[in-house]
Amino acid sequence: QRDSSLYHSSDRINQGFCWFVTSVVSCCPAELKHEVNGKKETLKGFNVKLQDTILFPEGGGQPDDHGLIGDVAVLRVTRQGPDAVHFVGSALEVGQEVQVRVDWERRFDHMQQHSGQHLITALADTMFGYKTTSWELGRQRSSIELDTASMKPAQLKELEEAVNEKIRAHVPVTVQLLSIDDPAVEKVRSRGLPDDHAGPIRIIDIDGVDANMCCGTHVSNLSHLQVIKLLGTEKGKKNKTNLIFLAGNRVLKYAEKSYSTERSLVSLLKTGPDEHVEAVDKLQKSAKLLQKTNLSLLRDMAVLIAQNFKNDPERGNFFSLHKKEGDNEFMNIIANEINTEETLVFLTVGEEKGPGLFLLAGPGGAVSELGPRVLELLQGKGAGKNGRFQGKANSLAGRGEVEALLREHSQRRSSGEE
């Protein structure tokens, strides 16, 4: 807020400036909508404004800081004009002096990714003329949208070598605060200011590399980035390319995770890392062949099951079968082989007490009458026409009840009650 350079300097925070004393200006009831394990939830809490803050409000492609006000967790920080609004779970007394602490691990990760983006953006422009149109700091990886339809692998390699050379060169990163009418503002890279901007213009200057308007948090020297890995590119929207990258500690975590995955694959595939792709390719081809053979056997089995029923002199006018392995084709082959104009057929495939598929086939009137009831007992979804009713069952645990219902109906038909 008053001193936006507090957001910037990793050196100051490392030397003990990870906390900050200020006072509460306002505290109002509020709600926060967020996702927990993919589910949207609404939290009740309070929006707090402070006299000043070291917690960065989300903006400029960068997520917000987390931290503590006293012993109260700050769950979200947003910007309203020149003010940062902190969402907390407990009320704070207006006027009280409080200590603000930043979640340093999250802050430093964001600093590495954001400064890394500035460096990549600057060199992609200088080396290839590819302008950055937007970027996203993701939870696991970040992406830069470049104004080019494609990027060659050789260019990607050259760019990665160049950014890491700048990191090894120990290039300083400084913050400048300029008035909006300062002529120097016209010389810096910018995608424009927000409509509600107030105060001086903040410039992030990577010495000899780039000067860019930015409100975000940054390292004070490129050496603090440690390393940048360009993972590759993905096709973007409207003839643009998304460049995927990791910076700093994320590269180390990625390497650790990749090595752990590699060791697991060595154990599972019984081959060295260089042979993993070939081994998986062989397994996939074998699996496809086995699946094809299995389907052929299931079709043959379906025909034999139906013929065995038809050749039984004591068969009635009701046939029921459950098989764990199978699909709609398996069930339809059986129904096609049996004369369903005279016989009521009920077939299911899947877990015995879990979800699965079902097929009810038989005389049109009986199927139309019984289908909805079968659907209800199996807690399923489906539809029927021309003497067949089939669909998905959420639970085959009700199969016994369905059999009893259909058997009773068939017995009534046999005795001439219907």
Side-chain angles (χ1 to χ4, degrees):
Q1 292 181 212
R2 284 200 306 265
D3 182 7
S4 58
S5 63
L6 282 170
Y7 298 146
H8 164 74
S9 176
S10 59
D11 289 339
R12 290 179 65 185
I13 294 178
N14 277 332
Q15 294 168 8
F17 284 81
C18 58
W19 56 269
F20 179 71
V21 175
T22 185
S23 59
V24 178
V25 173
S26 65
C27 179
C28 304
E31 293 183 345
L32 173 66
K33 294 181 180 179
H34 70 151
E35 283 192 11
V36 178
N37 298 323
K39 294 183 178 179
K40 292 183 178 180
E41 293 185 357
T42 300
L43 291 179
K44 292 186 179 297
F46 299 86
N47 279 339
V48 173
K49 291 183 182 180
L50 303 173
Q51 187 67 28
D52 210 336
T53 187
I54 55 171
L55 300 184
F56 175 75
E58 59 187 2
Q62 179 178 326
D64 56 345
D65 281 338
H66 289 173
L68 295 171
I69 300 177
D71 58 358
V72 179
V74 178
L75 304 178
R76 179 72 55 82
V77 188
T78 54
R79 185 176 68 87
Q80 290 182 3
D83 298 321
V85 179
H86 311 72
F87 181 87
V88 296
S90 303
L92 296 170
E93 183 182 345
V94 174
Q96 78 174 104
E97 190 175 85
V98 291
Q99 188 180 84
V100 182
R101 291 183 179 273
V102 66
D103 178 342
W104 175 246
E105 183 177 355
R106 177 181 171 91
R107 158 70 74 86
F108 188 60
D109 172 55
H110 291 174
M111 290 164 62
Q112 288 186 317
Q113 308 318 308
H114 203 158
S115 295
Q117 177 265 314
H118 277 223
L119 178 59
I120 297 167
T121 287
L123 293 184
D125 188 4
T126 302
M127 295 169 67
F128 310 116
Y130 298 157
K131 304 291 185 183
T132 291
T133 50
S134 68
W135 87 290
E136 179 185 13
L137 199 168
R139 291 182 180 179
Q140 295 183 330
R141 62 181 198 170
S142 299
S143 64
I144 300 171
E145 184 184 71
L146 297 174
D147 192 12
T148 178
S150 63
M151 192 171 186
K152 296 177 181 178
Q155 292 177 316
L156 199 68
K157 182 180 179 182
E158 187 180 350
L159 179 60
E160 182 176 275
E161 289 174 352
V163 297
N164 283 293
E165 179 60 35
K166 292 296 182 184
I167 292 171
R168 290 190 292 272
H170 205 267
V171 177
V173 181
T174 57
V175 173
Q176 300 178 49
L177 297 177
L178 304 178
S179 62
I180 197 165
D181 56 353
D182 191 317
V185 172
E186 300 298 323
K187 300 177 182 179
V188 302
R189 183 167 53 83
S190 172
R191 294 202 303 272
L193 292 169
D195 294 336
D196 60 351
H197 172 267
I201 305 297
R202 188 167 181 265
I203 310 297
I204 302 299
D205 193 334
I206 303 176
D207 190 26
V209 178
D210 183 52
N212 181 26
M213 288 186 195
C214 184
C215 64
T217 60
H218 291 271
V219 298
S220 57
N221 193 289
L222 289 187
S223 63
H224 299 164
L225 298 182
Q226 301 167 278
V227 65
I228 285 177
K229 178 60 186 173
L230 305 183
L231 296 177
T233 60
E234 297 174 355
K235 187 176 180 180
K237 57 186 179 182
K238 296 180 181 179
N239 293 320
K240 290 182 171 58
T241 296
N242 295 328
L243 175 60
I244 313 303
F245 76 95
L246 303 172
N249 290 333
R250 291 194 183 192
V251 179
L252 302 180
K253 291 177 181 179
Y254 185 82
E256 181 182 2
K257 184 178 180 181
S258 296
Y259 182 72
S260 177
T261 301
E262 181 182 282
R263 301 315 303 164
S264 297
L265 288 172
V266 166
S267 177
L268 289 169
L269 299 173
K270 310 300 181 187
T271 62
D274 293 341
E275 300 165 333
H276 285 171
V277 173
E278 183 181 354
V280 171
D281 184 56
K282 287 181 179 178
L283 283 173
Q284 286 183 327
K285 289 177 180 176
S286 296
K288 287 179 181 178
L289 181 60
L290 287 171
Q291 187 178 30
K292 187 176 180 181
T293 303
N294 186 48
L295 288 173
S296 179
L297 290 173
L298 276 173
R299 293 185 189 103
D300 293 341
M301 183 185 296
V303 173
L304 290 172
I305 288 170
Q307 288 178 348
N308 187 51
F309 171 75
K310 289 194 295 184
N311 293 334
D312 183 358
E314 297 183 2
R315 71 178 185 276
N317 58 357
F318 174 63
F319 176 75
S320 177
L321 176 76
H322 172 76
K323 189 167 181 59
K324 183 177 179 180
E325 301 84 7
D327 55 14
N328 279 319
E329 185 180 5
F330 172 76
M331 295 189 294
N332 276 294
I333 289 174
I334 294 176
N336 289 339
E337 291 291 323
I338 296 175
N339 182 4
T340 55
E341 291 183 4
E342 300 176 357
T343 306
L344 195 59
V345 176
F346 175 55
L347 307 169
T348 55
V349 294
E351 295 294 334
E352 193 170 341
K353 303 293 184 182
L357 304 172
F358 73 91
L359 170 64
L360 176 66
V367 170
S368 297
E369 176 190 342
L370 297 166
R373 180 62 178 145
V374 171
L375 206 61
E376 182 183 339
L377 291 171
L378 298 180
Q379 302 172 28
K381 293 182 179 180
K385 65 178 180 178
N386 301 327
R388 298 210 176 178
F389 198 105
Q390 62 189 107
K392 293 181 179 180
N394 287 324
S395 174
L396 293 176
R399 195 179 190 286
E401 291 182 71
V402 175
E403 276 196 348
L405 173 70
L406 300 179
R407 200 178 298 279
E408 180 184 353
H409 183 276
S410 297
Q411 289 172 351
R412 289 205 305 270
R413 281 184 60 225
S414 297
S415 63
E417 293 180 23
E418 294 189 2

